Amino acid sequence: MFKTFEETKKYCIDNGIQMVDFKMIDIHGRWRHVTLPTDRFVPDTMVYGIGFDGSNYGFAPVEKSDMIFIPDLTTAALDTFVEIPTLSMIGDVKVINGEGPHPFDQEPRNVARHAEEFLRASGIADEMRIGPEFEFHIFDRVGYNTNPHSVGFRVDTSQAEWNSGDSDGNNHGYCVANKGGYHITSPHDVTYDLRSKICTLLEARGVPVKYHHHEVGGPGQVEIETEFGSLLEMADRTMILKYVVKNAAASVGKTATFMPKPLYAEAGNGMHVHMHLFKDGKPLFYDKEGYSGLSLLAHYFIGGILAHAPSLCGFTNPSTNSFKRLVPGYEAPVTIGYATANRSAVIRIPAYATAPEQKRFELRSPDGTCNPYYAYSAILMAGLDGVENQIDPREHGWGPYDFNLYTLSPEEKAKIHGLPKTLDEALDALEEDHYYLTKGNVFPEKLIQVWVDKKRSEARRVNQVPHPAEYELYYDL
């Protein structure tokens, strides 16, 4: 929004801004923030930054936890969810050594910057443009507990089919059947006005929206798809979108979640990532003679992603809940392969994107529990490794799979490689296969080690908690 401190300060004075809020990204992909009265926002803030404890962000041990952040004025925007007029902006994390502040190499925005720099230095392209599809649930209420004597959760929304028999006077009979929500209209689509409000807020925050609609999941599953942007730009937009969605829902007494699988036996929430490369403004993925209009370079890029698909899941699907979504029968991918218009393949080439500048493909495995800066950067690094090593997916038997992968016989399925089935499997793959991420020190080895350790700790905790289904299965044995 701004280029200089003077522009920013003048805007604050002219518009009665009383607080300046700075947001940073922790290792997991959550925003943290600290706020200054506008009078305390001074030129020195842009030079010396504001100190904070990096150990609480998951990046550093307590004994080496002093860090600073420097505001990125270009990300400044009004925060419409607070009472006091507030200007909000993202901060870049730096550490101090004998030579002064320098970028912290594990910080998410810095990783994304390094990935884009690596792309340009490769000479292959100068920009990767990506466009995620954001699926999420909007519920009326949620509750959960993990006590030693009581474990469970409960969510509800008025449109869910389990409320069709309610007779409390609030039931109008327009409930949505299981997996019957795709593109439904009012009066079944009870979150339509909220989604339109969210999209209006996103546009005001510099996040262009392509469209929104109700998704397959009957109990409150929806989708917002945004226009394309560069890697770092889209990672920032991803954070903004999640912030706007959650706060807009809370403002009307509802709750939103990007959990991949909040409901059993219903469609899960993916974050499909469309992507293509450009050089000097020209698209590199188009070739009218190639399969589905894709160039050989695009095939190599696909080959790199498929070659590293299991380890990529360590960053694109970094939760135990992620792998409850990646199961057959819910339009979520489970096999390593690519095809045109095939939603059972992990990479789908949209049949409707035929113009040269639109020619692209989507990776269907990622979900909203990822840290977008790490996930988008990892996808880019995998694709570039495929180009560098000329990994043609056709030569490795990864497709094209122009048939339904869910309906194969057991013998045919055994011939096709699958995605990891658990978070631990994905982390095993990441530990064994991450050389492509460390090229150019885009992903420092230390970051991968810290990431794996933290995610294994999460998996252990979930694995150790008794599950309600275990009572159903084993209590009477």
Side-chain angles (χ1 to χ4, degrees):
M1 186 173 183
F2 303 110
K3 294 181 180 179
T4 67
F5 174 83
E6 289 72 23
E7 288 179 357
T8 311
K9 196 71 172 183
K10 184 177 185 301
Y11 178 88
C12 291
I13 295 170
D14 293 346
N15 292 274
I17 302 299
Q18 298 180 40
M19 295 288 168
V20 181
D21 187 60
F22 307 106
K23 292 182 171 66
M24 289 75 65
I25 302 96
D26 70 14
I27 193 169
H28 299 288
R30 292 184 177 95
W31 259 348
R32 311 286 186 105
H33 76 142
V34 63
T35 310
L36 300 182
T38 303
D39 289 345
R40 304 296 183 271
F41 182 46
V42 296
D44 278 359
T45 309
M46 304 303 301
V47 178
Y48 302 106
I50 297 174
F52 71 99
D53 176 5
S55 67
N56 278 300
Y57 282 51
F59 292 122
V62 173
E63 67 272 16
K64 295 182 180 179
S65 57
D66 280 357
M67 297 184 178
I68 63 170
F69 66 84
I70 306 292
D72 182 347
L73 300 178
T74 65
T75 66
L78 284 175
D79 191 332
T80 57
F81 295 107
V82 295
E83 182 178 347
I84 303 299
T86 300
L87 186 68
S88 179
M89 62 190 77
I90 302 174
D92 288 319
V93 177
K94 296 190 176 184
V95 291
I96 309 296
N97 62 14
E99 300 176 356
H102 65 277
F104 180 49
D105 59 0
Q106 298 178 37
E107 194 270 330
R109 294 188 91 223
N110 287 330
V111 169
R113 283 195 181 92
H114 292 156
E116 290 186 314
E117 291 167 0
F118 185 84
L119 170 64
R120 290 189 289 269
S122 73
I124 295 169
D126 50 38
E127 184 182 24
M128 179 171 79
R129 298 179 191 171
I130 54 179
E133 300 176 12
F134 298 97
E135 296 175 342
F136 54 98
H137 277 77
I138 299 175
F139 296 126
D140 293 337
R141 61 192 65 88
V142 61
Y144 51 87
N145 63 283
T146 52
N147 298 316
H149 69 291
S150 175
V151 177
F153 72 91
R154 182 180 294 273
V155 297
D156 199 14
T157 172
S158 61
Q159 68 175 171
E161 67 173 352
W162 60 70
N163 286 316
S164 62
D166 285 357
S167 56
D168 59 4
N170 296 318
N171 185 1
H172 301 290
Y174 296 110
C175 295
V176 184
N178 177 264
K179 293 193 286 186
Y182 190 64
H183 287 189
I184 58 163
T185 187
S186 300
H188 295 83
D189 187 4
V190 298
T191 60
Y192 173 79
D193 286 334
L194 175 58
R195 297 199 311 274
S196 292
K197 176 183 177 182
I198 289 170
C199 291
T200 300
L201 292 169
L202 287 172
E203 291 280 351
R205 287 292 299 267
V207 182
V209 175
K210 286 179 66 175
Y211 51 68
H212 70 83
H213 60 83
H214 203 288
E215 254 298 343
V216 171
Q221 189 189 31
V222 299
E223 178 180 312
I224 294 176
E225 187 167 336
T226 61
E227 296 288 356
F228 281 69
S230 63
L231 192 155
L232 176 59
E233 179 180 50
M234 191 52 68
D236 285 343
R237 289 178 180 178
T238 299
M239 298 298 295
I240 293 169
L241 182 139
K242 294 177 78 171
Y243 181 79
V244 169
V245 165
K246 293 173 185 177
N247 281 280
S251 72
V252 295
K254 296 184 183 294
T255 179
T257 181
F258 291 79
M259 277 182 66
K261 195 75 168 183
L263 296 171
Y264 172 65
E266 262 290 3
N269 294 318
M271 193 182 75
H272 311 149
V273 180
H274 295 252
M275 67 196 79
H276 45 179
L277 296 182
F278 289 79
K279 188 171 185 178
D280 299 324
K282 297 179 180 179
L284 300 180
F285 278 5
Y286 177 74
D287 179 355
K288 66 178 181 179
E289 303 299 329
Y291 168 76
S292 198
L294 286 179
S295 65
L296 184 59
L297 184 143
H299 276 82
Y300 289 156
F301 202 89
I302 288 173
I305 291 175
L306 295 178
H308 302 296
S311 62
L312 268 179
C313 285
F315 278 112
T316 61
N317 304 80
S319 72
T320 58
N321 191 252
S322 297
F323 299 90
K324 291 179 169 60
R325 166 183 165 254
L326 299 179
V327 295
Y330 298 91
E331 293 190 14
V334 295
T335 54
I336 297 174
Y338 81 110
T340 302
N342 188 345
R343 286 172 167 79
S344 65
V346 71
I347 286 181
R348 179 184 74 98
I349 306 161
Y352 50 75
T354 56
E357 66 276 4
Q358 295 178 343
K359 183 49 61 178
R360 63 185 188 270
F361 60 85
E362 68 168 349
L363 180 63
R364 295 180 58 79
S365 48
D367 64 60
T369 61
C370 72
N371 183 322
Y373 302 89
Y374 295 154
Y376 300 156
S377 298
I379 292 168
L380 172 59
M381 296 302 289
L384 291 178
D385 186 67
V387 175
E388 180 183 341
N389 292 290
Q390 299 186 357
I391 303 175
D392 192 323
R394 294 163 293 194
E395 295 176 0
H396 289 76
W398 295 326
Y401 295 141
D402 293 315
F403 48 85
N404 191 337
L405 293 165
Y406 298 143
T407 59
L408 297 179
S409 67
E411 294 77 18
E412 291 171 320
K413 288 180 181 178
K415 300 175 184 177
I416 300 176
H417 295 291
L419 295 175
K421 294 180 174 60
T422 66
L423 178 57
D424 277 317
E425 284 187 21
L427 297 174
D428 288 343
L430 180 58
E431 283 189 311
E432 295 172 5
D433 172 34
H434 60 257
Y435 73 89
Y436 64 99
L437 298 173
T438 60
K439 291 180 180 179
N441 201 38
V442 171
F443 280 80
E445 191 78 38
K446 180 63 175 178
L447 169 59
I448 295 173
Q449 176 189 335
V450 170
W451 178 266
V452 170
D453 288 346
K454 288 184 179 296
K455 293 301 172 180
R456 286 208 188 278
S457 177
E458 292 176 14
R460 280 195 300 272
R461 184 186 173 198
V462 173
N463 290 338
Q464 291 170 1
V465 175
H467 192 286
E470 292 176 313
Y471 274 77
E472 177 187 355
L473 293 169
Y474 310 126
Y475 185 81
D476 64 334
L477 289 178

